[in-house]
Amino acid sequence: MTKKRPAILVVNDDGITAPGIKVLIEEMQKIGDVTVVAPEGPQSGTGHAITIGKPLRIDRIYIYPEVEMYKCSGTPVDCVKLAVNKVFKGRKPDICVSGINHGLNNSINVLYSGTMSAAVEGAIEDIPSIGFSYDDLEYDADFTRCRPYVSAITKQVLANKLQKGTLLNVNFPKGHIKGIKICRQADAKWAEEFDERTDPSNRSYYWLTGVFQLRDRGEDTDVWALHNEYASIVPVQFDMTAHHAIPELNSWDFEV
Amino acid sequence: MTKKRPAILVVNDDGITAPGIKVLIEEMQKIGDVTVVAPEGPQSGTGHAITIGKPLRIDRIYIYPEVEMYKCSGTPVDCVKLAVNKVFKGRKPDICVSGINHGLNNSINVLYSGTMSAAVEGAIEDIPSIGFSYDDLEYDADFTRCRPYVSAITKQVLANKLQKGTLLNVNFPKGHIKGIKICRQADAKWAEEFDERTDPSNRSYYWLTGVFQLRDRGEDTDVWALHNEYASIVPVQFDMTAHHAIPELNSWDFEV
């Protein structure tokens, strides 16, 4: 009796034609049966957005003919919802993998990232989920060094599962990879520097740009690991309750 | 010597003309000096999205002439970033309040909600931040019962501050409010039911819709509190690390 191959849902936020998702599809084809549902265009920075004010489209496409692929007009989170409800229809993928993102999603970027939000949505659906990101924003980024790690991490998640309510945020450094470090999310923020310009009608507009500000000297963070040439894995949860803050709030006097 | 009035940043996701933000502005004017930076149109469900592929506009408007108000072409998170960097310019608001949202943002909705993401962004900027939401989706929702609670909670946050890296998610039940409960985020998800239709060109499209599925019988959750006629306050953190999952992951063998 042959063991059933796992059903793998692949999603991303750079769009279905991005090189990063092609690499992820290729690695997943070695492990299981792949279904892709991904945005038709770039959706970087969409975070956990969903489409509620306008209708959604989803269409079968054939750019990699041997794979079942659908492009979606919505966000990465919409893709996961449509995949679960309209493509898998009651069956459930054994794993959901998102990426490989062109650019890091370490630290606070877990909140802004469509790649990670797709994986979070997978976890909300009780599907073991992983987001993969690589420290190269370029279209022709070379993902070669990531491949064996993507494969090894996916196999470990399939073998061990993940604790309920958790998923993995995996980031790869550019260049040599020394190994893997399990990390916590570094405390950091973006210091915005809006680039102000004037349009032909003499009205101002702004481009959002910024500098990553690390506020965390810990050596157990994803930022530290990546800086020291390790791939970082942060276990992520979608319970955002600050449980440690509850006792103090219970001491406050809300006079109404 | 008179005490300096606090500088209050008001934002929302229903758009700057929504009745909910008008109520919030009115309550905040009793407490401090109000600056509003809010989306020009509805941005519900945008989560923590930011605008990176296109430019942003921000314009002074005068719909409530006694208040410094700006409408922004971007998301709620963009509004907070522009407020901090272009409106306050180096000064910092003493508090950031978001809402009042037309509709609840309890439980898992903290992830999808633009209202809450704006408050999260305020907290990332080290500004004490609160998101307010009310259990009525209607445009002409009556926020009267929320007003004294909005005021009391804001005053407590100004007096006591909040622990670093935390903010408050406040939700009000419809109807009578018995009091306030400090809660954790209930475990729940949306069971999607995509409404499939056919356009005049005979192509399918979908409207995202769904049913809220509570998976949590706890009596310490926001869902429980609201169901029992209490306003719920959940302390929220933007560190999404599942710290409890780190030891197990450190036992895994990633063979590369």
Side-chain angles (χ1 to χ4, degrees), chain A:
Chain A
M1 203 175 88
T2 47
K3 211 173 159 190
K4 202 168 154 272
R5 280 163 67 83
I8 303 177
L9 170 62
V10 176
V11 61
N12 79 343
D13 79 348
D14 289 320
I16 202 158
T17 60
I21 199 170
K22 184 165 192 286
V23 171
L24 190 53
I25 292 166
E26 287 165 4
E27 290 304 317
M28 292 305 116
Q29 285 183 289
K30 300 173 192 167
I31 297 172
D33 295 331
V34 176
T35 303
V36 181
V37 183
E40 58 198 9
Q43 292 270 353
S44 295
T46 49
H48 214 91
I50 50 174
T51 302
I52 53 181
K54 54 186 182 182
L56 287 166
R57 306 258 185 189
I58 178 168
D59 293 295
R60 183 89 158 89
I61 61 167
Y62 299 87
I63 52 175
Y64 312 127
E66 72 283 11
V67 184
E68 187 179 344
M69 295 186 83
Y70 302 85
K71 72 176 171 72
C72 169
S73 63
T75 66
V77 171
D78 290 328
C79 290
V80 173
K81 288 181 183 290
L82 278 163
V84 168
N85 289 279
K86 287 291 156 191
V87 179
F88 280 84
K89 291 179 191 161
R91 288 182 307 138
K92 192 176 252 184
D94 295 295
I95 192 165
C96 169
V97 292
S98 181
I100 303 173
N101 192 63
H102 294 238
L104 289 177
N105 283 315
N106 59 341
S107 180
I108 195 72
N109 299 306
V110 64
L111 283 171
Y112 304 105
S113 160
T115 303
M116 283 311 302
S117 293
V120 169
E121 188 65 24
I124 293 171
E125 290 285 353
D126 277 333
I127 304 163
S129 297
I130 317 171
F132 292 105
S133 305
Y134 175 49
D135 187 13
D136 190 339
L137 286 163
E138 298 303 318
Y139 185 81
D140 62 353
D142 179 0
F143 293 90
T144 309
R145 287 197 184 91
C146 308
R147 285 180 183 263
Y149 289 92
V150 166
S151 173
I153 295 165
T154 302
K155 285 174 183 166
Q156 281 292 299
V157 169
L158 283 165
N160 299 312
K161 307 298 179 209
L162 289 169
Q163 289 185 33
K164 190 174 152 54
T166 72
L167 60 143
L168 301 186
N169 181 12
V170 179
N171 284 272
F172 298 108
K174 204 169 170 174
H176 177 63
I177 302 173
K178 278 185 192 164
I180 288 171
K181 291 272 186 208
I182 311 299
C183 308
R184 63 176 173 84
Q185 170 186 328
D187 183 29
K189 59 163 278 205
W190 287 92
E192 267 69 47
E193 293 171 352
F194 287 94
D195 182 349
E196 185 170 0
R197 302 189 184 186
T198 307
D199 72 13
S201 311
N202 213 30
R203 288 183 63 218
S204 290
Y205 64 94
Y206 297 92
W207 288 101
L208 174 58
T209 170
V211 176
F212 188 72
Q213 278 189 328
L214 183 65
R215 309 186 275 197
D216 191 328
R217 294 204 177 98
E219 300 194 350
D220 56 348
T221 71
D222 49 3
V223 170
W224 187 93
L226 291 158
H227 186 72
N228 287 275
E229 303 186 347
Y230 289 96
S232 65
I233 302 183
V234 175
V236 169
Q237 62 187 7
F238 52 81
D239 177 1
M240 295 181 75
T241 309
H243 292 274
H244 62 283
I246 289 178
E248 188 187 327
L249 292 174
N250 272 318
S251 76
W252 289 12
D253 182 15
F254 299 100
E255 289 172 58
V256 178

Side-chain angles (χ1 to χ4, degrees), chain A residues 45 50 56-57 59 81 112 121 125 163 185 189 192 199 206 235 237-238 240-242 244 253, chain B residues 45 48 50 56-57 81 112 121 125 156 163 185 189 192 199 203 206 235 237-238 240-242 244:
Chain A
I50 50 174
L56 287 166
R57 306 258 185 189
D59 293 295
K81 288 181 183 290
Y112 304 105
E121 188 65 24
E125 290 285 353
Q163 289 185 33
Q185 170 186 328
K189 59 163 278 205
E192 267 69 47
D199 72 13
Y206 297 92
Q237 62 187 7
F238 52 81
M240 295 181 75
T241 309
H244 62 283
D253 182 15
Chain B
H48 214 91
I50 51 174
L56 287 165
R57 306 257 184 189
K81 287 181 183 290
Y112 304 105
E121 187 66 22
E125 291 284 352
Q156 280 292 298
Q163 289 185 34
Q185 170 186 327
K189 59 162 279 203
E192 267 70 47
D199 72 14
R203 289 184 62 218
Y206 297 93
Q237 61 187 8
F238 53 81
M240 295 181 75
T241 309
H244 63 282

Side-chain angles (χ1 to χ4, degrees), chain B residues 49-101:
Chain B
I50 51 174
T51 302
I52 52 180
K54 55 186 183 182
L56 287 165
R57 306 257 184 189
I58 178 169
D59 293 294
R60 183 91 157 85
I61 61 168
Y62 299 88
I63 51 175
Y64 312 126
E66 71 285 12
V67 184
E68 187 178 346
M69 295 186 82
Y70 302 85
K71 73 177 170 70
C72 169
S73 63
T75 65
V77 171
D78 291 329
C79 289
V80 174
K81 287 181 183 290
L82 278 163
V84 168
N85 290 278
K86 287 292 156 192
V87 178
F88 280 85
K89 290 179 192 161
R91 287 183 308 137
K92 192 176 252 184
D94 295 297
I95 193 165
C96 168
V97 292
S98 182
I100 302 172
N101 193 63

